[in-house]
Amino acid sequence: MTEPLWDVAALAEFLGKPVSWVYDNHAKEAIPSFRIGQQLRFSPTEVREWMERKCRTTTRATHFTP
């Protein structure tokens, strides 16, 4: 069974960020999203995968040991 899509408010709650942050950063941060009409929607699975990739990239960049 597929999880229901998140709207901006649901994603903001999941991330612990304000709704305004989601609107300001969805494109800049490359958060996987799409539009239904004029409304943004997010796949919970894709968002979790994006977070894993983002965290791995950040961890490698900040904890590099030669």
Side-chain angles (χ1 to χ4, degrees):
M1 184 173 172
T2 305
E3 290 180 89
L5 296 174
W6 288 341
D7 61 9
V8 173
L11 178 61
E13 183 178 335
F14 175 76
L15 295 174
K17 297 283 189 177
V19 168
S20 60
W21 185 92
V22 174
Y23 280 116
D24 292 344
N25 289 281
H26 82 275
K28 183 173 24 175
E29 295 292 331
I31 301 170
S33 63
F34 56 96
R35 292 194 177 271
I36 297 178
Q38 294 184 358
Q39 298 179 347
L40 283 172
R41 291 292 185 263
F42 305 88
S43 162
T45 302
E46 289 181 14
V47 169
R48 288 184 189 103
E49 290 169 356
W50 167 80
M51 287 180 67
E52 285 185 30
R53 286 191 310 272
K54 188 89 167 154
C55 289
R56 286 187 189 133
T57 302
T58 302
T59 301
R60 280 190 211 129
T62 58
H63 295 95
F64 175 76
T65 41

